[in-house]
Amino acid sequence: MEKELTTATTTQEPMLAESLIVVQQLPVIKEQLHSIKAQAQASVTEALALVCTEETLKVVKEQRAKLNRDRKDLDDRRAVVKKQIMKPFEDFDKVYKECVTDVYGPADEALKGKITDVEAGLKADKEKKVVAYFDELVKANGVEWVSYGDVGIAVTMTASLKSLKSKVKDYVDRVVADVNCINGMENATEVMAEYKQCRNLAVAINSVSQRKDRVAREEAERKQRLEAQLRAQEAESAVLDAVEEDLAAPQVMGAEPPVMDEQEAEETQQESKEQIMTAKFAFMGRTFQCHGTLTQLRELKSFVNEKIDEIQKHMDSVGIENEEVSDNG
């Protein structure tokens, strides 16, 4: 079983004395690069002054290749110097890793794990007490539908138990105040249902109000459309009835209908269908006059009848009781 950690003093001298890692001699690089700079600049200037044409293309390429060879030779020399300088440091770095990094690193990770385990236990114990306090509050105030996650508490090592409980109480008190306010409203059930979703009283009230307005507008529009359809159907039906009564009027007594052959009869019938009819009808206290051919009026009547059937089906689907009655009741 692991021993408890206790605070102890030590008389051990600090190990990290300045003499442990020192640079005894800085690398000395002997170079004469400045002596060739002028020559290199002259070569570059000469190459850049060349005019590159089809005739001089070969010369320009050769000049460029010469410059690249000179630079590569210098780059190779630089790389050799760098490698020589870095080798002592690389040897030192291997020793440093063995004696320092590989010793302190695992120890730090192990201690970090122990600290994390203890802190996790302390935070879990603290949160357990906060949750118990929350459960007690919501039960006492009759708002058990509120969950602990709604509060948004972040339990940390620095947060005191008192401050966490204070946050819980503030949240529950606000919910209780909102609920009391909602209970006094006419549409309390709807607002409460919305409030449980958003936990914001103003948003809940506004959502319910907007929904009621939308429903009211839709219902008013639906009624207007239905009434307009019914008025149109009744009006068109009255027009068609009046026209067909005119067409079906009895002949004058004692007059014999003219004798027509089959072609004349068809022409006469066609003329009747194409003839513009005029009829007056009364509907809902208003008088209308309708003009159209018999064919148009009959098609209109068929259209109106179809709409009447659709309206009856709609009333049946939404549960509106209806039955067809005559004008006499």
Side-chain angles (χ1 to χ4, degrees), residues 23 34 49 67 77 81 89 129 136 140 143 150 152 162 165 214 226-227 286 301:
V23 178
H34 286 85
L67 293 177
R77 293 172 184 271
V81 172
F89 178 79
K129 295 177 181 177
E136 178 184 344
V143 290
D150 296 334
K162 180 180 179 180
K165 286 185 175 181
R214 290 195 301 270
L226 185 60
E227 291 173 357
R286 300 172 65 185
K301 182 175 183 180

Side-chain angles (χ1 to χ4, degrees), residues 77-95:
R77 293 172 184 271
R78 173 180 172 276
V80 171
V81 172
K82 181 179 179 180
K83 185 175 181 180
Q84 291 174 347
I85 293 174
M86 290 301 297
K87 188 177 185 309
F89 178 79
E90 292 172 353
D91 294 341
F92 158 75
D93 207 36
K94 291 180 181 178
V95 176

Side-chain angles (χ1 to χ4, degrees), residues 125-167:
D125 181 64
K126 188 186 298 183
E127 186 162 27
K128 184 178 180 181
K129 295 177 181 177
V130 176
V131 172
Y133 179 70
F134 169 82
D135 292 339
E136 178 184 344
L137 276 183
V138 295
K139 184 176 181 180
N141 289 278
V143 290
E144 291 90 342
W145 44 269
V146 179
S147 66
Y148 175 74
D150 296 334
V151 185
I153 291 291
V155 179
T156 63
M157 288 297 298
T158 56
S160 67
L161 182 61
K162 180 180 179 180
S163 66
L164 295 174
K165 286 185 175 181
S166 177
K167 290 181 179 179

Side-chain angles (χ1 to χ4, degrees), residues 53 77 90 117 161 172 207 232 267 280 293 305:
T53 64
R77 293 172 184 271
E90 292 172 353
D117 291 342
L161 182 61
V172 174
S207 297
E267 291 176 353
K280 291 183 179 180
T293 65
N305 288 336

Side-chain angles (χ1 to χ4, degrees), residues 270-293:
Q270 182 65 26
E271 290 176 357
S272 297
K273 290 182 178 179
E274 295 177 355
Q275 182 180 358
I276 300 299
M277 304 292 179
T278 301
K280 291 183 179 180
F281 65 97
F283 176 68
M284 296 183 67
R286 300 172 65 185
T287 301
F288 298 87
Q289 192 170 37
C290 181
H291 304 279
T293 65

Side-chain angles (χ1 to χ4, degrees), residues 226-287:
L226 185 60
E227 291 173 357
Q229 289 174 349
L230 289 174
R231 287 195 299 268
Q233 290 163 4
E234 292 178 2
E236 299 303 337
S237 178
V239 170
L240 293 176
D241 291 342
V243 171
E244 294 198 353
E245 286 179 5
D246 291 341
L247 294 175
Q251 298 179 350
V252 180
M253 294 296 294
E256 293 293 335
V259 178
M260 294 181 290
D261 57 23
E262 184 176 348
Q263 182 176 356
E264 289 177 336
E266 291 179 356
E267 291 176 353
T268 301
Q269 185 177 7
Q270 182 65 26
E271 290 176 357
S272 297
K273 290 182 178 179
E274 295 177 355
Q275 182 180 358
I276 300 299
M277 304 292 179
T278 301
K280 291 183 179 180
F281 65 97
F283 176 68
M284 296 183 67
R286 300 172 65 185
T287 301

Side-chain angles (χ1 to χ4, degrees), residues 104-123:
Y104 284 95
D108 180 67
E109 290 297 322
L111 292 174
K112 179 182 177 181
K114 293 180 180 181
I115 292 171
T116 300
D117 291 342
V118 173
E119 287 185 344
L122 293 173
K123 288 191 290 186

